[in-house]
Amino acid sequence: MVEPIYMPVLPMRRDAWNAYAQLDFRLRRRIAPLWTLVPHSGRERTRGEPSSPDWDSDQSALDRWLTLRTDQLIEAMDGRFGWVDATHVEGSIHGSAASLWRLMTRSRLRLVTGPERDPQLQRYAADLAFLSGRGMGIRLLVDAPPDELRAAELLSLINRLCLPPSAVDLILDLGAVPDAAESGKTAIAALDVLGAPAPWRTVVLTSGAFPRVHDLPGAETAYVAQRHDRHVYGAVRAARPEFPRTVVYGDYSVEHAFSANIPHVRAPGPPWGVMRYTAPDGFMIGRVPTRGNERVDRVRAMARWITESEAFRGADYGDGEDWLHECAQGEGSKGSGNAETWIKVGHLQHMNFVMNQLIAAG
């Protein structure tokens, strides 16, 4: 297996897996996504809270929804390696059990668990990981600098699940990063306290700097946000060059770190969506309407704002750039896309660009 150099944390939604499937094969073979199954219904889940049963009373509908979603992900992954986190549906034992079994028997994905989860669900994930022969991932939510007690908790979990560290991927997840300097200190402490004590198969450091869309000022506006997640990774590499194994770079692509905590959105969806573009040190973000008489004009104007900027890499750089260029130059509604298209294009150009950055950096 070719070792991955990039782990995008992606919600298990159609726009994200279609973007991954459209990437060039040479890039996909070095990308190992962490897919998070989004909740089916109910309220937004809180980061770090234990799983709870889904609010949907129709168990057969939930089973069908999960089966379809997992089958679509298996097709998009096309036999390639990655991780899948089912924390938001683990509480619905019947539906998640069938879907996770399909993932374990029909794909090369590895399951993920974490110390904050129900011990029975941890045991079930570990048993599936053992049966698959692929091991599993431990996703640690690092919202503050960890201490020795946190390290002991991690090692206790590994011992209880009877998994050798050499078959475990350690995913250090900093979540949303509003400040690169403070998060950089947390990341370095996490690597020292949690990454060093055991011979993990893989160590991943991931965080997200893309802002929550509803936090942006104005109803429809152009906005630039800093890529703090990239700066955090750079700070860790500079501070710990002697770390005994490669630390895989991870981010949340062009989604907020809590995006996968939001339940599945049914049509028609909100009256606006977001166009996004990744610059070397920032995100270009434009909120545009999804309906109304002026929708097409505003969408194309936002595409022009992106393609006419210094950050735009040219229509030939990738499929994402090509779509944005065609949208900016086009006329009429055809080719202007919709909310799902804009997110897909955002993921596509972001993952393509990040991979090229990582390859260039060596």
Side-chain angles (χ1 to χ4, degrees):
M1 182 186 77
V2 178
E3 290 298 317
I5 62 173
Y6 175 38
M7 186 193 78
V9 182
L10 300 171
M12 255 177 75
R13 297 190 177 103
R14 183 169 56 188
D15 51 71
W17 67 58
N18 282 345
Y20 169 80
Q22 193 173 333
L23 287 167
D24 185 278
F25 169 78
R26 291 166 294 181
L27 298 183
R28 268 182 291 156
R29 64 198 295 264
R30 302 299 305 276
I31 298 175
L34 168 55
W35 300 99
T36 304
L37 260 164
V38 300
H40 182 233
S41 58
R43 60 174 175 80
E44 179 178 342
R45 308 311 198 255
T46 301
R47 175 177 165 90
E49 281 193 358
S51 303
S52 58
D54 205 292
W55 280 262
D56 198 313
S57 58
D58 187 344
Q59 185 65 56
S60 62
L62 176 59
D63 291 357
R64 289 194 300 272
W65 180 79
L66 280 173
T67 298
L68 176 62
R69 190 153 290 232
T70 52
D71 284 353
Q72 289 173 324
L73 178 63
I74 291 168
E75 182 179 356
M77 290 301 295
D78 193 24
R80 293 179 182 83
F81 158 66
W83 294 273
V84 63
D85 189 342
T87 182
H88 297 314
V89 299
E90 283 180 337
S92 304
I93 296 294
H94 184 273
S96 64
S99 297
L100 295 182
W101 178 256
R102 294 170 80 87
L103 285 170
M104 289 300 94
T105 56
R106 302 185 185 185
S107 77
R108 294 179 61 205
L109 292 165
R110 299 171 183 171
L111 284 180
V112 166
T113 192
E116 77 285 355
R117 307 186 192 187
D118 184 283
Q120 287 185 314
L121 299 175
Q122 293 171 342
R123 178 75 268 159
Y124 178 64
D127 289 345
L128 283 177
F130 175 79
L131 290 172
S132 74
R134 295 193 293 274
M136 68 186 304
I138 302 296
R139 186 178 187 179
L140 287 180
L141 308 183
V142 187
D143 297 321
D147 54 19
E148 296 302 326
L149 184 62
R150 192 82 190 277
E153 179 186 46
L154 170 62
L155 294 177
S156 174
L157 173 64
I158 297 300
N159 291 333
R160 180 161 51 80
L161 297 181
C162 301
L163 290 170
S166 58
V168 175
D169 309 305
L170 181 64
I171 302 169
L172 302 173
D173 182 359
L174 274 65
V177 176
D179 182 279
E182 287 303 313
S183 294
K185 296 175 185 177
T186 298
I188 293 168
L191 203 63
D192 290 344
V193 175
L194 304 171
W200 311 111
R201 175 173 54 186
T202 310
V203 176
V204 182
L205 177 66
T206 191
S207 60
F210 198 86
R212 289 192 73 127
V213 173
H214 64 64
D215 291 337
L216 299 180
E220 291 149 20
T221 185
Y223 180 81
V224 177
Q226 292 298 305
R227 283 179 66 194
H228 295 305
D229 42 12
R230 175 168 169 77
H231 297 308
V232 167
Y233 183 74
V236 170
R237 287 195 64 179
R240 295 294 182 268
E242 75 286 355
F243 192 74
R245 63 186 59 80
T246 300
V247 179
V248 177
Y249 172 72
D251 64 24
Y252 279 78
S253 187
V254 289
E255 298 267 15
H256 187 266
F258 303 152
S259 175
N261 299 352
I262 299 171
H264 170 65
V265 177
R266 293 165 176 81
W272 45 262
V274 176
M275 302 180 74
R276 7 177 142 214
Y277 194 69
T278 306
D281 294 305
F283 298 105
M284 299 181 68
I285 303 165
R287 192 153 59 178
V288 290
T290 58
R291 41 190 178 264
N293 294 333
E294 298 181 358
R295 182 194 73 85
V296 173
D297 290 340
R298 295 193 182 192
V299 168
R300 296 201 187 280
M302 197 61 72
R304 286 193 294 274
W305 173 66
I306 293 172
T307 58
E308 292 172 3
S309 72
E310 292 183 358
F312 189 65
R313 293 176 283 276
D316 295 335
Y317 189 86
D319 288 347
E321 281 79 7
D322 180 60
W323 187 93
L324 285 165
H325 174 77
E326 292 297 320
C327 179
Q329 300 300 315
E331 295 181 0
S333 61
K334 185 177 181 180
S336 61
N338 54 30
E340 183 178 310
T341 304
W342 306 327
I343 298 176
K344 174 191 168 184
V345 169
H347 285 307
L348 185 57
Q349 60 81 29
H350 178 88
M351 290 188 283
N352 185 48
F353 179 50
V354 167
M355 277 298 296
N356 283 311
Q357 282 187 307
L358 292 170
I359 291 169

